[in-house]
């Protein structure tokens, strides 16, 4: 019999409730640089190149945490509660700078999610690296908008570092996804061709020729089976937590992901500095928050 007493479906948790979150406590002031807003996308790209990362554009102005000596710029102080979107941007920007300073790889993905990779606990299985990753986003609690929270999710990815340098196996990497570990080429892309120590990688409409040694293959299940066999895939699934050591579905996967999230946040540390001064402190326990439901 179902939860409704008549054989119906079980109750589901509200879609706006988030359990994998910690509260963030900010010092209350943001010291930022304020500039005239760029007039178009090209001008914005030039501005972001000069300050080293993205800027926050709101109305007639663009903002960036910290001090940037640029024409027509001025120092600007903003209280957290007076401009919540700018507050969230500055906290997110500071967190990205903090994790990079610790030596972890980080980048922003779709929807402003901060990816943090290279965390402690990585394993190597048959030459494939099981890399630990966090996906983080900074949000306001949807109840009153006055509580800032860090919502996190832990997962893994599989990286293969030597196939592009292998002249015999490199041709089988055509069409595969790659990620940059060093150098200054595109962060992600798809292999078009390999020519000795360099290869052509497509990132969107752009094609770059870069050193193969700067990149790794971001392997999926199909590629692992193709290059390493089904037994390696099974061992990788165990190392990633989707299968138990007996090869069965891991019934504790959700609990394990929460534990991995806590370990990842501990590796990042409980506080970080805003780019313009001031400190953001994480709470020491996961909390339930309510986000604004999608319309």
């Amino acid at each position: 019999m179902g939860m409704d007493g008549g054989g119906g479906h079980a109750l589901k948790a509200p879609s706006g409730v988030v359990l994998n979150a910690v509260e963030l406590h900010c010092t209350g002031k943001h010291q930022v640089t304020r500039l005239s807003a760029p007039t178009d996308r090209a001008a914005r790209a030039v501005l972001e190149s000069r300050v080293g990362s993205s800027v926050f554009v709101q109305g007639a102005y663009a903002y960036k945490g910290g001090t940037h000596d640029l024409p027509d710029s001025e120092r600007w102080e903003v209280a957290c509660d007076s401009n919540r979107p700018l507050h969230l941007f500055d906290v997110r920007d500071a967190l990205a700078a903090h994790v990079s300073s610790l030596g972890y790889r980080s980048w922003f993905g779709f929807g402003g999610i901060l990816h943090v990779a290279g965390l402690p606990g990585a394993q190597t299985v048959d030459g494939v690296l099981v890399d630990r990753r966090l996906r983080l986003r900074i949000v306001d609690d949807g109840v009153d908008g006055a509580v800032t929270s860090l919502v996190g999710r832990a997962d893994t990815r599989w990286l293969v570092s030597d196939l592009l340098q292998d002249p015999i196996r490199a041709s089988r990497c055509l069409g595969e996804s790659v990620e940059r570990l060093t150098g200054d080429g595109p962060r992600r892309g798809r292999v078009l061709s390999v020519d000795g120590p360099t290869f052509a990688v497509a990132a969107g409409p752009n094609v770059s020729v870069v050193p193969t040694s700067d990149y790794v293959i971001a392997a999926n299940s199909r590629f692992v089976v193709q290059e390493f066999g089904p037994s390696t895939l099974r061992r990788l699934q165990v190392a990633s937590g989707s299968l138990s050591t007996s090869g069965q579905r891991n019934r504790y996967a959700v609990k394990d992901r929460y534990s991995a999230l806590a370990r990842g946040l501990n590796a990042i540390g409980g506080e970080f500095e805003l780019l313009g001064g001031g400190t953001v402190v994480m709470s020491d326990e996961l909390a339930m928050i309510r986000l604004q439901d999608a319309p």
Side-chain angles (χ1 to χ4, degrees):
M1 181 177 294
M3 295 279 296
D4 61 359
H9 60 272
L11 293 174
K12 296 181 179 179
S15 61
V17 170
V18 176
L19 301 174
N20 51 329
V22 294
E23 290 185 8
L24 299 179
H25 304 281
C26 189
T27 52
K29 297 287 186 180
H30 296 269
Q31 304 290 336
V32 301
T33 299
R34 190 174 80 164
L35 311 103
S36 296
T39 55
D40 54 32
R41 181 173 296 182
R44 179 168 184 162
V46 170
L47 176 59
E48 292 181 336
S49 176
R50 298 181 71 179
V51 301
S53 62
S54 60
V55 298
F56 178 73
V57 177
Q58 186 179 63
Y61 297 100
Y63 301 88
K64 179 67 179 177
T67 301
H68 301 273
D69 187 15
L70 297 171
D72 301 321
S73 65
E74 60 180 327
R75 292 283 288 166
W76 198 254
E77 184 177 276
V78 182
C80 295
D81 294 335
S82 68
N83 191 329
R84 296 300 291 181
L86 177 55
H87 158 77
L88 294 176
F89 173 85
D90 198 34
V91 172
R92 187 192 75 170
D93 218 20
L95 178 59
H98 171 69
V99 297
S100 294
S101 73
L102 295 175
Y104 303 127
R105 298 185 298 278
S106 66
W107 64 94
F108 286 108
F110 180 77
I113 293 177
L114 177 63
H115 297 246
V116 182
L119 293 162
Q123 297 175 254
T124 300
V125 176
D126 297 344
V128 182
L129 178 68
V130 181
D131 191 30
R132 304 289 171 181
R133 176 174 59 177
L134 294 180
R135 304 186 193 206
L136 307 173
R137 57 192 177 108
I138 308 295
V139 301
D140 270 342
D141 189 332
V143 175
D144 55 16
V147 177
T148 303
S149 296
L150 173 65
V151 180
R153 176 187 172 194
D155 63 9
T156 61
R157 58 186 186 152
W158 301 336
L159 305 178
V160 186
S161 60
D162 60 350
L163 293 188
L164 289 170
Q165 290 84 45
D166 187 327
I168 297 177
R169 303 174 74 182
S171 62
R172 299 206 292 272
C173 298
L174 299 183
E176 299 299 331
S177 296
V178 292
E179 295 200 9
R180 174 173 54 82
L181 292 186
T182 61
D184 56 5
R187 192 189 64 77
R188 290 180 59 91
R190 181 173 53 85
V191 179
L192 295 182
S193 63
V194 182
D195 185 10
T198 63
F199 76 113
V201 56
N206 303 315
V207 176
S208 304
V209 177
V210 293
T212 56
S213 57
D214 288 353
Y215 286 79
V216 292
I217 299 292
N220 54 26
S221 298
R222 173 195 53 76
F223 186 79
V224 168
V225 171
Q226 169 189 305
E227 291 299 319
F228 300 93
S231 61
T232 294
L233 174 62
R234 187 162 50 252
R235 286 193 288 271
L236 286 170
Q237 290 171 325
V238 171
S240 299
S242 60
L243 294 182
S244 67
T245 53
S246 64
Q248 303 299 311
R249 181 177 63 85
N250 182 9
R251 294 181 296 168
Y252 304 100
V254 173
K255 178 181 178 181
D256 291 345
R257 284 196 295 269
Y258 274 96
S259 297
L261 172 61
R263 289 194 299 270
L265 292 179
N266 287 336
I268 290 174
E271 63 180 58
F272 54 94
E273 300 297 317
L274 293 170
L275 299 180
T279 304
V280 179
V281 179
M282 297 184 195
S283 65
D284 58 3
E285 60 182 8
L286 292 172
M288 183 179 74
I289 66 171
R290 180 176 174 83
L291 299 176
Q292 180 66 48
D293 292 332

